[in-house]
Amino acid sequence: MSLDRPTRVALLTNVLAPYRLPVYRDLANTPGWELRVMASKRAEAGFGRAQEGAFEAAAQVLDVELVKGLSFRRRVSTNGKVDGSQWLETHLPVGVLPALARFRPDVIVSGELGVRSALAALYATLSGVPLVLWSYHSRSAAVAMGPLRRALARPLIARARTVAGMGTQAREVLRELGAPNTSIFDAPNAHD
């Protein structure tokens, strides 16, 4: 990191959710930071206008890059105390590595524990920059995690310098996936 320029922070996420925009704005206003938000899509399927509007609003005040990729929908079922299912959209952000190479971040913050974060970990390893994972996992999401995703999550968490979760459930899930308690920080979606 050079002292004559701001610390470049790449924040990778699936979409710019409206409730996260205040957090992204605050991060962008952190003294000494140059934040670039790299999103996989303008909006998740089924959320349309609200997320499209959030993307457009964010692009007015933040450095936002739409990363090239592929997306597909799949139905996920959970079995437990209450059976349920939901449609999930999976993003394959094939443009993450070139986007990171163009930006040359000093730190990478990647949301979720999937392909996006695996690509971020690869870039972080090759370039020697720290990786921070920002996980939204709850107990039900952890149950829905298949063995392949669980197997991918463990080395990602081991590679990360820090893991941010959104509360008690995320902390429990992250500990189960191997994160040391000292590397987990709480980042709730909302607070006073």
Side-chain angles (χ1 to χ4, degrees):
M1 255 182 291
S2 171
L3 296 178
D4 59 341
R5 69 168 175 81
T7 300
R8 290 187 178 136
V9 180
L11 192 152
L12 284 59
T13 187
N14 54 346
V15 296
L16 296 173
Y19 58 86
R20 285 237 164 80
L21 292 184
V23 174
Y24 296 159
R25 278 193 300 267
D26 285 351
L27 291 174
N29 290 327
T30 301
W33 278 21
E34 178 184 345
L35 177 73
R36 177 167 296 166
V37 180
M38 298 178 180
S40 295
K41 284 189 76 177
R42 289 179 178 272
E44 294 280 6
F47 288 92
R49 278 187 255 231
Q51 283 183 349
E52 283 275 349
F55 185 91
E56 298 306 325
Q60 299 293 319
V61 296
L62 297 171
D63 180 1
V64 177
E65 180 174 350
L66 189 59
V67 176
K68 292 182 181 180
L70 306 169
S71 297
F72 62 93
R73 290 182 70 196
R74 62 191 170 90
R75 190 165 190 84
V76 176
S77 298
T78 57
N79 297 318
K81 291 180 182 176
V82 177
D83 291 341
S85 67
Q86 63 181 331
W87 284 97
L88 295 179
E89 191 166 19
T90 299
H91 306 284
L92 299 174
V94 295
V96 162
L97 292 175
L100 288 170
R102 284 190 304 275
F103 184 57
R104 294 185 356 255
D106 300 306
V107 177
I108 302 169
V109 179
S110 184
E112 302 177 6
L113 301 173
V115 174
R116 177 183 310 103
S117 293
L119 292 170
L122 174 62
Y123 182 89
T125 299
L126 294 174
S127 63
V129 301
L131 173 67
V132 176
L133 295 174
W134 191 353
S135 172
Y136 322 127
H137 279 83
S138 62
R139 286 185 206 107
S140 62
V143 168
M145 235 180 170
L148 182 61
R149 287 216 39 159
R150 190 172 290 280
L152 175 63
R154 288 183 184 281
L156 284 175
I157 288 172
R159 169 61 181 86
R161 178 166 300 171
T162 301
V163 182
M166 59 179 194
T168 305
Q169 286 189 33
R171 182 175 281 278
E172 291 170 5
V173 171
L174 293 167
R175 274 197 305 252
E176 287 172 16
L177 292 171
N181 207 33
T182 55
S183 73
I184 302 172
F185 291 87
D186 294 325
N189 280 332
H191 56 81
D192 282 344

